[in-house]
Amino acid sequence: MNYALVTGGSRGIGAAIARRLAAAGLGVIVNYRSNAEAARATADAIAAEGGTVCLLPFDVADEAAVDSALEAWEDAHPDDRITVLVNNAGIRRDNLMIFMQTDEWHRVIDTTLNGFFYVTRRVLKGMLTKRFGRIINIASLSGLKGMPGQANYSAAKAALIGATKALAQEVAPRKVTVNAVAPGFIRSDMTHDLDENTLRKLVPAGRFGDPEEVAALVAFLASDDAAYITGETISINGGLY
Ligand code: NDP
C-alpha cells in the first residue's frame, strides 16, 4: 500500500491533512511527539471513516529518533512504501528579539527546519529509488512576510521555503515534486490564544481559515493532477498577503 507520512499529524492542520489523505485512499502514518491521546483520537477517526492508519511517535528534531522510528516502520511494512511526505510538525515560541531566549530560538529552528531535514532525507531514499514522490512542506505567511515577535519562526519558515525550491530542482528528474504551503491564520491549538475577533478584521476574507481548507490544498498537491507543480509556495490566507 502507498502511505503518506504526516509529521505532527495528531492535531490541528496535520490531523485534517491525515484524514483527507486517508479519504483519498492512502494509508496514513500519523506522527506526533508527546500527546498520545490526541493522536489516538485522530487515528480512531480515520479508522472509523474506513481509512488505514498507524501511529508513529517521534520527535522530528531528534535525528536518531527519526531514523530508528522510520527504520522500524519499514521493517514492519516490507510491502508498503511512503509516497507522500507532509512536513507539518511545528511549534511557536514567540518573543520580541530583544527578549528572545536562546532556547526559544533553537527549539523553533530545530523543529521546523532540522526536523524537515532529518525526516525528508530519510524518506527521500525510497522515493528516488521508486521514481515517485510528493513532498509538501507546511510553511507560513510568517516565512514570506516576516511577523514581529516571530523572528525565530519567520526564519525557520523562510528557510523551509528556500529548501523547498532547492530540493525541488534536485529531485524533479525522478518524478518527485516538492512544494510548500503558506497558511495565514488557521483555527487550531497553535492559534487558540490569538484574538480571532480582532485579527479577522485584517483578513480580506473576514475570517480565520479552517484546517480542512489547508488539507484540501495539500491533497491536491499530493495528487497525480499536480505532477507538473514543483518548487512552488502556495499561500492560503484569505487574501491577507
Ligand atoms: P498545532 O499546535 O495544533 O499541532 C502541532 C502538531 O505538531 C501536533 O501534532 C504536535 O504533536 C506536533 N509536533 C510539534 N512538535 C513536534 C516534534 N518536535 N516532533 C513531532 N511532532 C511535533 O499546530 P497547527 O496545526 O496549527 O500547525 C501545523 C503546522 O502549520 C505548523 O508547522 C505550523 O507552523 C503551521 N502553520 C500554522 C498556522 C496556524 O494559523 N495554525 C499558520 C501557518 C502555519 P504533539 O501533540 O504530540 O505535541
Side-chain angles (χ1 to χ4, degrees):
M1 184 172 199
N2 290 342
Y3 273 80
L5 167 59
V6 183
T7 69
S10 59
R11 293 188 284 121
I13 293 171
I17 292 169
R19 289 176 75 158
R20 179 81 189 221
L21 294 178
L26 289 157
V28 175
I29 306 167
V30 171
N31 157 259
Y32 64 101
R33 185 186 46 189
S34 56
N35 186 339
E37 201 181 324
R40 174 49 56 196
T42 295
D44 288 349
I46 291 170
E49 289 160 5
T52 302
V53 59
C54 41
L55 294 176
L56 197 63
F58 58 84
D59 179 350
V60 296
D62 181 339
E63 181 177 8
V66 169
D67 284 343
S68 68
L70 287 169
E71 203 171 306
W73 186 87
E74 285 170 359
D75 288 347
H77 294 259
D79 299 326
D80 299 324
R81 62 193 181 101
I82 298 171
T83 55
V84 176
L85 166 62
V86 184
N87 287 300
N88 166 81
I91 55 168
R92 269 174 60 200
R93 292 290 182 274
D94 297 356
N95 216 336
L96 295 174
M97 178 69 109
I98 196 161
F99 302 124
M100 189 170 286
Q101 303 298 305
T102 304
D103 179 60
E104 291 170 334
W105 177 265
H106 283 295
R107 284 187 63 188
V108 169
I109 304 275
D110 282 351
T111 304
T112 289
L113 185 59
N114 297 342
F116 153 80
F117 173 59
Y118 299 141
V119 177
T120 304
R121 181 179 58 180
R122 186 65 183 68
V123 169
L124 196 54
K125 284 180 195 164
M127 292 180 173
L128 295 177
T129 309
K130 297 288 183 185
R131 292 178 175 268
F132 180 82
R134 295 278 187 271
I135 298 170
I136 298 135
N137 300 320
I138 308 302
S140 171
L141 168 70
S142 304
L144 293 170
K145 178 184 178 289
M147 294 286 266
Q150 290 196 323
N152 50 357
Y153 186 87
S154 302
K157 295 298 192 182
L160 186 60
I161 290 169
T164 298
K165 293 177 185 175
L167 181 60
Q169 294 171 64
E170 288 182 23
V171 299
R174 297 258 172 163
K175 298 189 169 57
V176 178
T177 67
V178 190
N179 291 290
V181 166
F185 293 117
I186 308 295
R187 289 185 197 100
S188 76
D189 292 342
M190 186 180 274
T191 51
H192 198 65
D193 61 331
L194 301 182
D195 180 0
E196 178 172 347
N197 224 15
T198 304
L199 288 171
R200 70 182 181 81
K201 298 186 181 103
L202 303 173
V203 183
R207 64 174 178 88
F208 279 20
D210 287 320
E212 290 72 23
E213 293 176 302
V214 180
L217 172 56
V218 171
F220 170 66
L221 290 172
S223 74
D224 288 342
D225 286 339
Y228 205 53
I229 302 173
T230 196
E232 189 57 73
T233 300
I234 302 180
S235 287
I236 175 161
N237 62 25
L240 183 55
Y241 184 67

